[in-house]
Protein backbone atom coordinates (compact mmCIF):
# COMPACT_ATOMS: atom_id res chain seq x y z
CA UNK A 1 0.00 0.00 0.00
CA UNK A 2 1.03 3.59 -0.57
CA UNK A 3 0.28 6.47 1.81
CA UNK A 4 -0.76 9.61 -0.07
CA UNK A 5 -1.00 12.99 1.66
CA UNK A 6 -3.24 15.65 0.13
CA UNK A 7 -5.01 13.09 -2.05
CA UNK A 8 -8.27 15.08 -2.05
CA UNK A 9 -6.66 18.11 -3.71
CA UNK A 10 -6.24 18.81 -7.41
CA UNK A 11 -3.12 16.83 -8.27
CA UNK A 12 -3.46 14.35 -5.40
CA UNK A 13 -6.95 13.25 -6.45
CA UNK A 14 -5.87 12.93 -10.08
CA UNK A 15 -2.93 10.85 -8.85
CA UNK A 16 -5.11 8.53 -6.73
CA UNK A 17 -7.53 7.97 -9.62
CA UNK A 18 -4.66 7.39 -12.01
CA UNK A 19 -2.84 5.06 -9.60
CA UNK A 20 -5.88 2.85 -9.07
CA UNK A 21 -6.62 2.80 -12.79
CA UNK A 22 -3.18 1.29 -13.36
CA UNK A 23 -2.50 -0.83 -10.31
CA UNK A 24 -4.29 -2.82 -7.65
CA UNK A 25 -1.99 -1.60 -4.91
CA UNK A 26 -4.20 0.10 -2.29
CA UNK A 27 -3.96 3.76 -1.37
CA UNK A 28 -4.41 5.28 2.07
CA UNK A 29 -5.38 8.88 1.43
CA UNK A 30 -4.59 11.23 4.33
CA UNK A 31 -5.96 14.75 3.92
CA UNK A 32 -7.06 17.56 6.21
CA UNK A 33 -9.80 18.64 3.78
CA UNK A 34 -8.99 22.33 3.80
CA UNK A 35 -10.97 24.51 1.37
CA UNK A 36 -8.86 22.86 -1.38
CA UNK A 37 -9.67 19.26 -0.47
CA UNK A 38 -12.73 17.85 -2.20
CA UNK A 39 -13.74 14.24 -1.75
CA UNK A 40 -16.21 14.63 -4.62
CA UNK A 41 -13.20 14.26 -6.88
CA UNK A 42 -12.96 10.67 -5.68
CA UNK A 43 -16.68 9.86 -5.80
CA UNK A 44 -16.01 7.10 -8.35
CA UNK A 45 -13.97 5.25 -5.68
CA UNK A 46 -16.72 5.29 -3.08
CA UNK A 47 -17.18 1.53 -3.04
CA UNK A 48 -13.67 0.65 -4.09
CA UNK A 49 -11.94 -1.21 -1.26
CA UNK A 50 -8.52 -0.25 -2.63
CA UNK A 51 -9.00 3.36 -1.51
CA UNK A 52 -9.31 4.33 2.13
CA UNK A 53 -9.53 7.87 3.44
CA UNK A 54 -8.48 9.33 6.79
CA UNK A 55 -9.10 12.96 7.60
CA UNK A 56 -6.08 14.36 9.40
CA UNK A 57 -3.36 16.97 9.51
CA UNK A 58 0.23 16.15 8.51
CA UNK A 59 1.28 18.19 11.54
CA UNK A 60 -0.25 15.45 13.72
CA UNK A 61 2.85 13.29 13.95
CA UNK A 62 1.36 10.80 16.42
CA UNK A 63 -1.64 10.05 14.19
CA UNK A 64 0.53 9.73 11.08
CA UNK A 65 2.96 7.39 12.82
CA UNK A 66 0.12 5.27 14.18
CA UNK A 67 -1.31 4.96 10.65
CA UNK A 68 2.10 4.01 9.26
CA UNK A 69 2.50 1.33 11.90
CA UNK A 70 -1.02 0.01 11.36
CA UNK A 71 -1.05 -0.02 7.54
CA UNK A 72 2.64 -0.55 6.77
CA UNK A 73 2.93 1.52 3.58
CA UNK A 74 5.89 0.81 1.33
CA UNK A 75 5.90 4.44 0.16
CA UNK A 76 4.71 7.92 1.07
CA UNK A 77 3.73 10.29 -1.74
CA UNK A 78 3.51 13.77 -0.23
CA UNK A 79 1.21 16.25 -1.99
CA UNK A 80 -0.38 17.94 1.05
CA UNK A 81 0.33 21.66 1.03
CA UNK A 82 -1.12 25.10 0.98
CA UNK A 83 -0.68 25.78 -2.72
CA UNK A 84 -2.13 29.12 -3.80
CA UNK A 85 0.40 31.96 -4.13
CA UNK A 86 -2.19 34.74 -3.68
CA UNK A 87 -3.36 33.24 -0.41
CA UNK A 88 0.25 33.00 0.76
CA UNK A 89 0.62 36.74 0.25
CA UNK A 90 -2.50 37.54 2.26
CA UNK A 91 -1.82 35.01 5.03
CA UNK A 92 1.54 33.24 5.02
CA UNK A 93 1.04 31.58 8.42
CA UNK A 94 -0.78 28.47 7.15
CA UNK A 95 1.89 28.02 4.49
CA UNK A 96 4.64 27.97 7.08
CA UNK A 97 2.59 25.65 9.23
CA UNK A 98 1.59 23.04 6.66
CA UNK A 99 4.37 23.27 4.10
CA UNK A 100 7.30 23.57 6.50
CA UNK A 101 6.21 22.28 9.93
CA UNK A 102 3.86 19.72 8.36
CA UNK A 103 6.56 18.33 6.08
CA UNK A 104 8.96 18.20 9.02
CA UNK A 105 6.38 16.35 11.10
CA UNK A 106 5.70 13.89 8.28
CA UNK A 107 9.42 13.29 7.80
CA UNK A 108 9.82 12.59 11.51
CA UNK A 109 6.95 10.09 11.45
CA UNK A 110 8.41 8.47 8.32
CA UNK A 111 11.86 8.26 9.89
CA UNK A 112 10.52 6.63 13.08
CA UNK A 113 8.48 4.10 11.07
CA UNK A 114 11.18 3.40 8.48
CA UNK A 115 13.96 2.89 11.01
CA UNK A 116 11.95 0.10 12.64
CA UNK A 117 11.36 -1.85 9.40
CA UNK A 118 13.18 -5.10 8.59
CA UNK A 119 16.17 -4.54 6.27
CA UNK A 120 14.48 -5.62 3.02
CA UNK A 121 11.44 -3.36 3.63
CA UNK A 122 13.71 -0.57 4.76
CA UNK A 123 15.62 -0.72 1.49
CA UNK A 124 12.42 -0.77 -0.56
CA UNK A 125 10.74 2.13 1.27
CA UNK A 126 10.35 5.50 -0.55
CA UNK A 127 9.37 9.00 0.53
CA UNK A 128 8.43 11.01 -2.56
CA UNK A 129 8.08 14.74 -2.02
CA UNK A 130 6.04 16.64 -4.62
CA UNK A 131 7.31 20.16 -5.15
CA UNK A 132 7.23 23.04 -7.57
CA UNK A 133 9.45 24.88 -10.05
CA UNK A 134 8.60 28.09 -8.16
CA UNK A 135 11.41 27.35 -5.68
CA UNK A 136 13.87 28.46 -8.37
CA UNK A 137 12.52 32.02 -8.54
CA UNK A 138 12.21 33.94 -11.78
CA UNK A 139 13.96 33.93 -15.17
CA UNK A 140 14.80 36.68 -17.63
CA UNK A 141 13.56 36.28 -21.22
CA UNK A 142 16.88 34.84 -22.46
CA UNK A 143 17.85 32.75 -19.43
CA UNK A 144 18.21 28.98 -19.76
CA UNK A 145 15.34 26.99 -18.17
CA UNK A 146 15.66 25.85 -14.54
CA UNK A 147 17.70 22.68 -14.12
CA UNK A 148 18.06 20.55 -10.99
CA UNK A 149 21.24 22.47 -10.14
CA UNK A 150 19.69 25.95 -10.39
CA UNK A 151 20.03 27.72 -7.02
CA UNK A 152 16.79 28.20 -5.09
CA UNK A 153 15.59 31.84 -5.08
CA UNK A 154 11.91 31.79 -4.02
CA UNK A 155 9.99 35.07 -4.20
CA UNK A 156 6.63 34.35 -2.51
CA UNK A 157 5.80 32.93 0.90
CA UNK A 158 4.38 29.90 -0.96
CA UNK A 159 7.56 29.18 -2.91
CA UNK A 160 9.75 29.96 0.10
CA UNK A 161 7.79 27.47 2.22
CA UNK A 162 8.08 24.82 -0.50
CA UNK A 163 11.82 25.53 -0.85
CA UNK A 164 12.20 25.03 2.90
CA UNK A 165 10.34 21.72 2.68
CA UNK A 166 12.56 20.60 -0.22
CA UNK A 167 15.64 21.35 1.88
CA UNK A 168 14.25 19.41 4.85
CA UNK A 169 13.51 16.40 2.65
CA UNK A 170 17.04 16.52 1.22
CA UNK A 171 18.54 16.76 4.71
CA UNK A 172 16.69 13.60 5.85
CA UNK A 173 18.47 11.69 3.10
CA UNK A 174 21.91 13.05 3.86
CA UNK A 175 21.54 13.00 7.64
CA UNK A 176 19.45 9.92 8.34
CA UNK A 177 19.56 7.98 5.08
CA UNK A 178 15.77 8.17 4.65
CA UNK A 179 15.15 7.04 1.04
CA UNK A 180 13.69 10.23 -0.44
CA UNK A 181 13.16 11.59 -3.95
CA UNK A 182 11.75 15.00 -4.88
CA UNK A 183 9.99 16.22 -8.00
CA UNK A 184 9.84 19.91 -8.98
CA UNK A 185 7.06 20.40 -11.49
CA UNK A 186 5.77 23.31 -13.53
CA UNK A 187 2.15 24.58 -13.60
CA UNK A 188 -0.40 21.80 -13.86
CA UNK A 189 -3.83 22.02 -15.43
CA UNK A 190 -6.66 19.55 -16.01
CA UNK A 191 -9.78 18.11 -14.31
CA UNK A 192 -10.62 18.90 -10.64
CA UNK A 193 -8.58 22.11 -10.58
CA UNK A 194 -10.01 24.65 -8.17
CA UNK A 195 -11.45 27.71 -9.91
CA UNK A 196 -9.17 30.06 -7.99
CA UNK A 197 -6.34 29.07 -10.36
CA UNK A 198 -5.98 30.72 -13.75
CA UNK A 199 -7.31 28.12 -16.22
CA UNK A 200 -10.44 26.93 -14.35
CA UNK A 201 -11.16 30.49 -13.16
CA UNK A 202 -11.18 31.75 -16.73
CA UNK A 203 -13.39 28.90 -17.99
CA UNK A 204 -15.88 29.38 -15.13
CA UNK A 205 -15.98 33.19 -15.28
CA UNK A 206 -16.27 33.25 -19.05
CA UNK A 207 -19.43 31.18 -18.94
CA UNK A 208 -20.84 33.16 -16.03
CA UNK A 209 -20.36 36.41 -17.97
CA UNK A 210 -17.93 37.68 -15.34
CA UNK A 211 -14.65 39.55 -15.88
CA UNK A 212 -11.61 37.45 -16.80
CA UNK A 213 -8.94 38.89 -14.47
CA UNK A 214 -5.38 39.17 -15.81
CA UNK A 215 -2.59 40.30 -13.52
CA UNK A 216 -0.51 43.24 -14.79
CA UNK A 217 0.21 43.02 -18.51
CA UNK A 218 -0.44 39.26 -18.71
CA UNK A 219 3.05 38.63 -20.08
CA UNK A 220 4.14 36.39 -17.19
CA UNK A 221 5.40 33.18 -18.75
CA UNK A 222 4.74 29.73 -17.27
CA UNK A 223 5.42 26.19 -18.40
CA UNK A 224 2.18 24.17 -18.49
CA UNK A 225 1.82 20.43 -17.97
CA UNK A 226 -1.35 18.34 -18.18
CA UNK A 227 -1.96 16.81 -14.75
CA UNK A 228 -1.94 13.17 -15.88
CA UNK A 229 1.56 13.70 -17.29
CA UNK A 230 2.65 14.91 -13.85
CA UNK A 231 1.05 11.82 -12.27
CA UNK A 232 2.91 9.57 -14.70
CA UNK A 233 6.18 11.32 -13.85
CA UNK A 234 5.59 10.80 -10.13
CA UNK A 235 4.85 7.09 -10.68
CA UNK A 236 8.03 6.75 -12.70
CA UNK A 237 10.20 8.57 -10.13
CA UNK A 238 8.70 6.49 -7.36
CA UNK A 239 9.55 3.37 -9.32
CA UNK A 240 13.06 4.17 -10.49
CA UNK A 241 14.23 7.58 -9.25
CA UNK A 242 17.68 7.67 -7.68
CA UNK A 243 17.58 8.20 -3.93
CA UNK A 244 18.34 11.68 -2.67
CA UNK A 245 17.88 13.13 -6.18
CA UNK A 246 15.49 15.76 -7.46
CA UNK A 247 13.78 15.55 -10.85
CA UNK A 248 12.34 18.51 -12.74
CA UNK A 249 9.02 17.80 -14.45
CA UNK A 250 7.80 20.03 -17.27
CA UNK A 251 6.13 20.11 -20.64
CA UNK A 252 8.57 22.25 -22.67
CA UNK A 253 5.60 24.46 -23.12
CA UNK A 254 6.15 28.08 -22.18
CA UNK A 255 3.21 30.41 -22.61
CA UNK A 256 2.36 33.93 -21.45
CA UNK A 257 -0.73 34.07 -19.24
CA UNK A 258 -2.52 36.34 -21.71
CA UNK A 259 -1.93 33.82 -24.51
CA UNK A 260 -3.38 31.05 -22.32
CA UNK A 261 -6.47 33.17 -21.71
CA UNK A 262 -6.80 34.01 -25.42
CA UNK A 263 -6.58 30.29 -26.24
CA UNK A 264 -9.34 29.51 -23.73
CA UNK A 265 -11.58 32.31 -25.03
CA UNK A 266 -11.13 31.16 -28.61
CA UNK A 267 -11.95 27.54 -27.71
CA UNK A 268 -15.06 28.61 -25.80
CA UNK A 269 -16.09 30.86 -28.71
CA UNK A 270 -16.08 27.71 -30.84
CA UNK A 271 -17.71 25.34 -28.37
CA UNK A 272 -20.20 27.68 -26.65
CA UNK A 273 -20.55 30.84 -28.78
CA UNK A 274 -21.92 33.92 -27.05
CA UNK A 275 -25.02 35.63 -28.39
CA UNK A 276 -22.78 38.53 -29.43
CA UNK A 277 -19.05 39.18 -29.38
CA UNK A 278 -16.22 37.04 -28.02
CA UNK A 279 -15.25 35.85 -24.55
CA UNK A 280 -12.11 37.93 -25.09
CA UNK A 281 -14.32 41.00 -24.47
CA UNK A 282 -14.55 39.96 -20.80
CA UNK A 283 -10.76 40.21 -20.24
CA UNK A 284 -10.04 42.69 -17.43
CA UNK A 285 -6.51 43.68 -16.44
CA UNK A 286 -6.08 43.92 -12.65
CA UNK A 287 -3.28 45.23 -10.44
CA UNK A 288 -0.26 42.92 -10.59
CA UNK A 289 0.55 40.55 -7.74
CA UNK A 290 3.47 41.71 -5.54
CA UNK A 291 6.64 39.70 -6.16
CA UNK A 292 5.08 38.21 -9.30
CA UNK A 293 7.70 36.06 -11.03
CA UNK A 294 8.10 37.00 -14.69
CA UNK A 295 9.08 33.71 -16.23
CA UNK A 296 9.37 30.04 -15.28
CA UNK A 297 10.79 27.48 -17.69
CA UNK A 298 11.82 23.97 -16.83
CA UNK A 299 14.48 21.69 -18.21
CA UNK A 300 13.12 18.17 -17.74
CA UNK A 301 15.90 16.36 -19.60
CA UNK A 302 17.17 14.50 -16.52
CA UNK A 303 13.80 12.79 -16.06
CA UNK A 304 13.53 12.11 -19.78
CA UNK A 305 17.06 10.74 -20.06
CA UNK A 306 17.31 8.73 -16.84
CA UNK A 307 13.77 7.45 -16.49
CA UNK A 308 12.41 7.62 -20.04
CA UNK A 309 9.45 9.86 -19.09
CA UNK A 310 7.86 12.06 -21.73
CA UNK A 311 4.60 14.02 -21.56
CA UNK A 312 1.81 12.32 -23.50
CA UNK A 313 -0.14 15.55 -24.06
CA UNK A 314 0.77 18.73 -25.90
CA UNK A 315 -0.75 21.98 -24.64
CA UNK A 316 -3.21 21.84 -27.53
CA UNK A 317 -4.48 18.32 -26.71
CA UNK A 318 -4.41 18.85 -22.94
CA UNK A 319 -6.23 22.16 -23.00
CA UNK A 320 -8.91 20.76 -25.33
CA UNK A 321 -9.54 17.91 -22.86
CA UNK A 322 -9.58 20.36 -19.97
CA UNK A 323 -12.10 22.77 -21.49
CA UNK A 324 -14.34 19.85 -22.45
CA UNK A 325 -14.09 18.43 -18.91
CA UNK A 326 -15.22 21.72 -17.38
CA UNK A 327 -18.10 22.00 -19.84
CA UNK A 328 -19.16 18.41 -19.04
CA UNK A 329 -18.78 18.82 -15.27
CA UNK A 330 -20.56 22.03 -14.47
CA UNK A 331 -22.18 20.45 -11.40
CA UNK A 332 -18.70 19.87 -9.95
CA UNK A 333 -17.78 23.49 -10.60
CA UNK A 334 -21.05 24.76 -9.08
CA UNK A 335 -20.53 22.62 -6.01
CA UNK A 336 -17.01 23.90 -5.49
CA UNK A 337 -18.12 27.46 -6.13
CA UNK A 338 -20.75 27.30 -3.44
CA UNK A 339 -17.92 26.75 -0.94
CA UNK A 340 -16.22 29.46 1.06
CA UNK A 341 -13.42 30.00 -1.40
CA UNK A 342 -15.88 31.46 -3.91
CA UNK A 343 -16.39 34.47 -1.68
CA UNK A 344 -12.64 34.69 -1.27
CA UNK A 345 -12.02 34.77 -5.02
CA UNK A 346 -14.72 37.43 -5.38
CA UNK A 347 -13.21 39.65 -2.68
CA UNK A 348 -9.62 39.26 -3.64
CA UNK A 349 -9.81 39.49 -7.39
CA UNK A 350 -12.50 42.10 -7.89
CA UNK A 351 -13.12 44.18 -4.80
CA UNK A 352 -9.73 45.48 -3.79
P1 LIG B 1 -4.30 21.67 -3.70
O1 LIG B 1 -4.28 22.96 -2.93
O2 LIG B 1 -5.32 21.48 -4.76
O3 LIG B 1 -4.45 20.44 -2.68
C1 LIG B 1 -3.77 20.37 -1.47
C2 LIG B 1 -4.38 19.26 -0.65
O4 LIG B 1 -3.65 19.17 0.58
C3 LIG B 1 -5.85 19.52 -0.28
O5 LIG B 1 -6.61 18.35 -0.47
C4 LIG B 1 -5.78 19.91 1.20
O6 LIG B 1 -6.96 19.56 1.92
C5 LIG B 1 -4.57 19.09 1.66
N1 LIG B 1 -3.93 19.69 2.85
C6 LIG B 1 -3.59 20.98 3.05
N2 LIG B 1 -3.03 21.14 4.26
C7 LIG B 1 -2.98 19.90 4.84
C8 LIG B 1 -2.49 19.41 6.06
N3 LIG B 1 -1.96 20.23 6.96
N4 LIG B 1 -2.59 18.08 6.32
C9 LIG B 1 -3.15 17.24 5.42
N5 LIG B 1 -3.65 17.66 4.24
C10 LIG B 1 -3.56 18.98 3.94
O7 LIG B 1 -2.82 21.52 -4.28
P2 LIG B 1 -2.34 20.88 -5.65
O8 LIG B 1 -2.37 21.91 -6.71
O9 LIG B 1 -3.02 19.59 -5.86
O10 LIG B 1 -0.80 20.63 -5.31
C11 LIG B 1 -0.37 19.42 -4.66
C12 LIG B 1 1.12 19.47 -4.44
O11 LIG B 1 1.80 19.65 -5.69
C13 LIG B 1 1.56 20.66 -3.55
O12 LIG B 1 2.58 20.20 -2.72
C14 LIG B 1 2.08 21.68 -4.55
O13 LIG B 1 3.08 22.48 -3.95
C15 LIG B 1 2.64 20.79 -5.63
N6 LIG B 1 2.66 21.36 -6.98
C16 LIG B 1 1.53 21.92 -7.52
C17 LIG B 1 1.57 22.41 -8.82
C18 LIG B 1 0.34 22.97 -9.47
O14 LIG B 1 0.43 23.49 -10.60
N7 LIG B 1 -0.84 22.90 -8.86
C19 LIG B 1 2.75 22.35 -9.56
C20 LIG B 1 3.88 21.77 -8.97
C21 LIG B 1 3.82 21.27 -7.68
Amino acid sequence: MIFVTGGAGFIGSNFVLDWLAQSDEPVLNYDKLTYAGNLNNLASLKNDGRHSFVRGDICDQAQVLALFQQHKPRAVVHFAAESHVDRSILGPGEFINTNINGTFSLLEAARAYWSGLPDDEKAAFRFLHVSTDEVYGTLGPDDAPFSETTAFAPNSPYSASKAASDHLVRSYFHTYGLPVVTTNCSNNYGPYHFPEKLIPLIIANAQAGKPLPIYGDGQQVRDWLYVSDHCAAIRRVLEAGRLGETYNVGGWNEMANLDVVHTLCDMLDQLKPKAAGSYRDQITFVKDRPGHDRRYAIDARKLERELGWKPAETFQTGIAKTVQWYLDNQAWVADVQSGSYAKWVETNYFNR
Side-chain angles (χ1 to χ4, degrees), residues 83 85 131-138 146 153-156 158-160 162-163 184-187 222 289 293 296 298:
S83 70
V85 176
S131 192
T132 166
D133 62 354
E134 300 194 26
V135 297
Y136 298 119
T138 189
F146 302 129
N155 291 319
S156 72
Y158 164 65
S159 53
K162 290 296 291 187
N184 292 93
C185 187
S186 57
N187 277 27
R222 301 290 179 262
R289 167 201 281 168
D293 290 331
Y296 301 141
I298 197 122

Side-chain angles (χ1 to χ4, degrees), residues 9-11 31-32 34 37 57-58 79 83 98 131 158 162 188:
F10 162 48
I11 305 174
D31 194 300
K32 186 177 171 181
T34 66
D57 187 330
I58 53 168
F79 293 96
S83 70
T98 285
S131 192
Y158 164 65
K162 290 296 291 187
N188 284 215

